[in-house]
Amino acid sequence: MAGDVPPAFHLLAKPAGAACNLACEYCFYLDKGLLYPGSHLRMSEEVLRAYIEQLLASHQAPEVTVAWQGGEPTLMGLDFFRRSVELAERYKRPGQTVAYTLQTNGTRLDNEWCAFFKEHRFLIGLSVDGPRALHDAYRVDKGGRGSFDQVMRGWNLLCKHNVDTNILCAVHAANAWHPLEVHRFLRDELGARFIQYIPIVERQSPKAPSRAKRGGEGLPGRRCCLDGLTGPMVTHCSVKAEQYGSFLVDVFEEWVRHDVGKVFVQTFDAALANWYGEPAGVCIFQETCGLALVLEHNGDLYSCDHFVEPAYRLGNILDEPMIDLLSSPRQRQFGLAKRDGLPRYCRECDVRFACHGECPRNRFLTAPGGRASGSSETGLNYLCAGYKLFFHHVDRPMRIMAELLRRHRSPAEIMRMCAAEDSRRLARGTATVRSEP
């Protein structure tokens, strides 16, 4: 067995590869089907069995997560997932428990699906980009029609069956200027309690033609996965850096006054962990990476969900055990490169501890020279300006909440502090839309 073996890791399995019944305009994964020309993009029984058996055998931690994503994983049909649960129950070791997660667009869910999710305690991530107009701006089917009504039908069925859920909300050019409208819709109208705000940053070559159609294969204007991560420009769907930072700031101001301890926003939870001195819990804000891999439908294992490219294919689990591929020097180097590849500008940054350069997939800008040099370096994150805006803005409230935790008190106490401070500012006639506690 190669290298040091990690006790636990995260693996996203894509049983239907890039196949999807929608054609969301910003989807970075649709073109990945080009990696497998002629394939029907469906995971076989042989690969399924190898995946479950090797995943459970590779973990030394007491709980293992079987995570499904796409494309759209429900295209595999319910019997496939019934079989996956049967195999997990067969291969788990004594004392080992299995958790199940599935990310879906929600359009194909029905009562049978949701009853199955509830029975086996699946955590279902549902993609929703806000109220109808904002969601339908880019989350469309192959005919260009919005998917909002179908997604809401799926959400209501999940709620009806009391399925554990979280919302994955992409932040893009259409909804980024409407942070409170988006957050209040998810919180108040949907009743969501776990939310991820994911920035859309999709790179595109300046020579690429304008997008002329929607679909799933070789979309004009989209960066083809076979070209590598080289495009210097971003698509029209992508959020701007300061725009994303402003979105997070406005949602945070709402959250810190009303939602602490009630609504859990992944970026805020990760930030608080970093201010408290604990691991962020999400790979993009950790110092190194390499423990969040992707398994394609045919058993190919890739370094990361955002690096499903030929250069980052580690091998196939039917040919070489998953744990050997994971612990290989090649994958360890991939994970360390996140830290080692930071430009001086990032290494000298006062909020590096909270950001760590974010995801390497977004590091394609040129950084200003370090203090000791007038030169510039590549590797600055496209979202740097936005993250700086956000992390500087939340510094004081994060320090307050971290101190509350150290005193074994609830971070939710900050809401009372904010209310008191807002009242004092209102009395002085200095209340503002954004105010720190």
Side-chain angles (χ1 to χ4, degrees):
M1 185 177 294
D4 297 325
V5 179
F9 56 95
H10 186 65
L11 182 60
L12 276 178
K14 309 238 180 197
C20 189
N21 61 315
L22 296 184
C24 302
E25 289 199 40
Y26 55 68
C27 181
F28 73 95
Y29 212 81
L30 281 177
D31 289 334
K32 303 303 179 182
L34 294 172
L35 288 166
Y36 302 100
S39 171
H40 68 298
L41 300 179
R42 297 293 186 272
M43 183 176 284
S44 67
E45 169 75 15
E46 181 185 21
V47 174
L48 173 62
R49 184 187 300 270
Y51 162 50
I52 299 296
E53 182 176 15
Q54 292 185 32
L55 182 73
L56 296 177
S58 298
H59 274 75
Q60 302 307 310
E63 182 175 275
V64 182
T65 298
V66 176
W68 302 104
Q69 202 186 58
E72 176 50 43
T74 62
L75 291 174
M76 294 300 298
L78 188 50
D79 286 344
F80 174 88
F81 293 99
R82 289 192 176 107
R83 179 62 174 156
S84 73
V85 171
E86 291 173 2
L87 290 170
E89 291 300 311
R90 176 190 302 179
Y91 290 122
K92 70 178 183 180
R93 301 191 304 271
Q96 195 174 54
T97 59
V98 181
Y100 302 99
T101 70
L102 184 144
Q103 182 69 35
T104 178
N105 59 40
T107 61
R108 304 183 74 253
L109 301 183
D110 58 21
N111 282 305
E112 189 177 13
W113 275 104
C114 294
F116 170 80
F117 293 150
K118 180 63 177 177
E119 178 185 359
H120 297 287
R121 294 177 295 176
F122 270 64
L123 172 62
I124 302 301
L126 188 71
S127 296
V128 185
D129 288 357
R132 181 189 301 276
L134 300 178
H135 176 94
D136 282 348
Y138 299 132
R139 296 196 64 81
V140 296
D141 64 19
K142 297 185 191 310
R145 296 175 293 272
S147 61
F148 182 81
D149 288 336
Q150 294 169 285
V151 175
M152 289 301 99
R153 178 179 170 276
W155 173 257
N156 290 332
L157 286 168
L158 291 167
C159 294
K160 171 185 172 183
H161 288 269
N162 295 311
V163 176
D164 291 336
T165 56
N166 64 37
I167 295 292
L168 193 156
C169 176
V171 182
H172 45 65
N175 65 5
W177 291 128
H178 306 277
L180 295 185
E181 183 180 356
V182 170
H183 185 69
R184 288 169 181 170
F185 172 79
L186 299 178
R187 180 193 66 190
D188 301 337
E189 297 194 39
L190 298 193
R193 292 298 173 259
F194 297 88
I195 305 171
Q196 299 177 48
Y197 290 115
I198 308 298
I200 292 300
V201 180
E202 188 184 18
R203 295 166 68 179
Q204 176 175 284
S205 167
K207 296 181 180 180
S210 60
R211 187 171 183 180
K213 65 178 182 179
R214 298 179 176 93
E217 298 180 6
L219 299 175
R222 296 182 59 89
R223 175 187 56 76
C224 173
C225 62
L226 303 181
D227 290 339
L229 301 172
T230 58
M233 299 176 63
V234 297
T235 63
H236 70 284
C237 300
S238 299
V239 66
K240 294 180 174 62
E242 293 87 349
Q243 195 179 30
Y244 183 59
S246 180
F247 180 98
L248 291 177
V249 165
D250 283 1
V251 173
F252 180 84
E253 287 299 313
E254 176 82 353
W255 178 84
V256 80
R257 284 165 171 74
H258 306 289
D259 301 335
V260 182
K262 304 173 187 176
V263 178
F264 299 88
V265 177
Q266 185 185 60
T267 302
F268 304 162
D269 290 346
L272 180 55
N274 277 331
W275 257 266
Y276 184 66
E278 295 289 338
V282 55
C283 62
I284 62 171
F285 296 131
Q286 293 176 352
E287 186 176 30
T288 61
C289 58
L291 295 179
L293 299 91
V294 162
L295 185 75
E296 257 290 345
H297 69 287
N298 69 335
D300 283 349
L301 191 67
Y302 290 87
S303 293
C304 171
D305 184 29
H306 292 281
F307 288 83
V308 178
E309 308 275 344
Y312 297 94
R313 178 183 176 275
L314 299 173
N316 190 289
I317 65 169
L318 297 181
D319 301 324
E320 190 173 355
M322 175 189 300
I323 192 64
D324 287 359
L325 298 173
L326 167 67
S327 57
S328 67
R330 183 179 171 194
Q331 182 63 6
R332 292 203 314 276
Q333 183 57 42
F334 172 84
L336 292 173
K338 177 180 180 182
R339 177 196 65 199
D340 299 342
L342 280 176
R344 181 186 295 271
Y345 181 81
C346 295
R347 296 196 303 271
E348 296 176 346
C349 180
D350 61 341
V351 291
R352 174 188 171 183
F353 74 95
C355 174
H356 291 296
E358 207 241 9
C359 184
R361 72 185 173 96
N362 293 330
R363 295 182 186 175
F364 53 88
L365 297 186
T366 299
R371 294 185 186 129
S373 139
S375 64
S376 60
E377 297 178 86
T378 58
L380 180 67
N381 196 294
Y382 168 83
L383 294 169
C384 174
Y387 279 123
K388 275 194 168 184
L389 172 67
F390 170 68
F391 287 130
H392 284 141
H393 182 86
V394 303
D395 176 62
R396 185 165 179 255
M398 284 297 173
R399 284 190 281 111
I400 291 171
M401 287 188 286
E403 183 59 27
L404 288 169
L405 283 171
R406 294 186 187 99
R407 296 181 183 183
H408 306 289
R409 293 164 60 183
S410 171
E413 291 184 36
I414 198 171
M415 293 189 290
R416 175 177 51 80
M417 301 177 193
C418 286
E421 181 64 21
D422 286 347
S423 294
R424 289 193 293 271
R425 287 179 174 176
L426 185 63
R428 296 194 301 265
T430 59
T432 60
V433 175
R434 296 179 185 166
S435 56
E436 294 181 353

